[in-house]
Amino acid sequence: MITLIRWILWPVSLIYQCIVWIRNLCYDRGIFKSTTFDIPTIVIGNLAVGGTGKSPMTEYLINLLSPHYRLATLSRGYGRKTKGFYYVQTDSEALQVGDEPLQFKRKFPHITVAVSEDRCAGVRQIMDSHDLILLDDAYQHRKLKPGFSILLLEYRSLHRPVLMLPTGDFRDNFSAIRRADLIVITKCPDHITTEHKRHIEQKIKKYSAAPILYTRIAYDTPLDKIGKAIQSDIVGMDTLLFCGIANPKPLIAYLESKGNKVHPILYRDHHNFTEKDYSHIKQAYERMSSSNKLLLTTEKDFQRLDIMVFENYPLGYIPIKTTFFDEDDKIFDNAVQNYVQQHFVNKP
């Protein structure tokens, strides 16, 4: 039914595609003005809605760059109920700053994390006290012209027709990849064939000569409510998984591959949990008869929870990280580091 409705809305997708094309043309021709800044600015973005792995890629960059530079991340703060500029603190709430910025701050308390729907205003607010800024999900925010753009494309999306919203999932024309300095194919299967790579690269190289790199998502050790590794082996457990992420299928498949029987309770992306949700989750967990059971969520969902609700429950969450194939991490690291270093070499 949803697919049928999407195809009925195909004329709307054509109109939207035209609007996006005209908007990009106006920026490309200088009719609409973009602002550049005298500080390294790295954008991490995508062309489609949904989970392409921006958060783990941002965390990869934080780990790569923060030991050497005064680094800040700037996000829109999707899902927050506030407007304007905010510095994110470790005790902030997701409703105030968004779940992903809160995750960055709690995971990397030594860096500056800020949110602002106006990226240019946000950069001006923090640029004087930092060496570089990572802009999460700002590929379409063309009022700001970044110094370096990293475009993420999910592997599965490249094997389907490129259709614009609302019929498809793309929010920008595929030709927009020409603005990227690095193109990263995310969430690849563990064994990607040379033939599949060739198919992807033929599609992309019509528009861009940027390096094309390949990554997959790796699931880390599950953590408990206070961030300590869960000591018990989670293999073969009855697992009640509740989450509000764009695509939970890879996580479910991962847990099942470890012999877990997964009982999923799924919500829309960035879902704000209610008392009714908490009650439903706890009741579902209590109905599970197995003594070898686990209550699990994602790291992003964990930021939006009222942890005290689960005070008497063995709640855990599972972090994810980006891992590159072959030697692609060296290509990626060198390209990013060279961009940042070049700025300081050329600075008067």
Side-chain angles (χ1 to χ4, degrees), residues 261-319:
K261 184 177 181 181
V262 181
H263 308 267
I265 300 178
L266 306 179
Y267 301 92
R268 61 177 177 79
D269 197 15
H270 298 281
H271 176 74
N272 291 313
F273 294 95
T274 65
E275 293 300 325
K276 184 178 179 181
D277 296 329
Y278 292 139
S279 177
H280 176 57
I281 292 165
K282 290 191 291 186
Q283 289 174 12
Y285 180 78
E286 290 164 358
R287 285 196 300 267
M288 293 168 61
S289 58
S290 173
S291 60
N292 186 33
K293 59 184 181 179
L294 175 68
L295 184 61
L296 191 67
T297 190
T298 69
E299 187 174 20
K300 187 171 79 169
D301 288 294
F302 186 78
Q303 314 306 320
R304 300 194 302 274
L305 297 180
D306 180 354
I307 303 304
M308 294 306 296
V309 170
F310 297 100
E311 184 177 11
N312 298 318
Y313 291 79
L315 174 66
Y317 65 90
I318 186 163

Side-chain angles (χ1 to χ4, degrees), residues 234-254:
I234 69 165
V235 174
M237 300 185 73
D238 266 14
T239 304
L240 179 65
L241 173 69
F242 68 95
C243 59
I245 57 177
N247 181 17
K249 291 181 180 178
L251 175 55
I252 294 172
Y254 166 76

Side-chain angles (χ1 to χ4, degrees), residues 42-56:
I42 300 176
V43 157
I44 308 106
N46 58 14
L47 299 183
V49 297
T52 53
K54 292 188 301 297
S55 293

Side-chain angles (χ1 to χ4, degrees), residues 14 17 21 59 62-63 67 69 83 90 110 112 154 189 218 224 247 261 264 274 286 313 332:
L14 291 176
Q17 184 174 11
W21 182 82
E59 292 180 359
I62 292 171
N63 280 317
Y69 303 98
K83 297 290 184 182
T90 54
H110 62 287
T112 297
E154 187 191 14
D224 63 17
N247 181 17
K261 184 177 181 181
T274 65
E286 290 164 358
Y313 291 79
F332 181 92

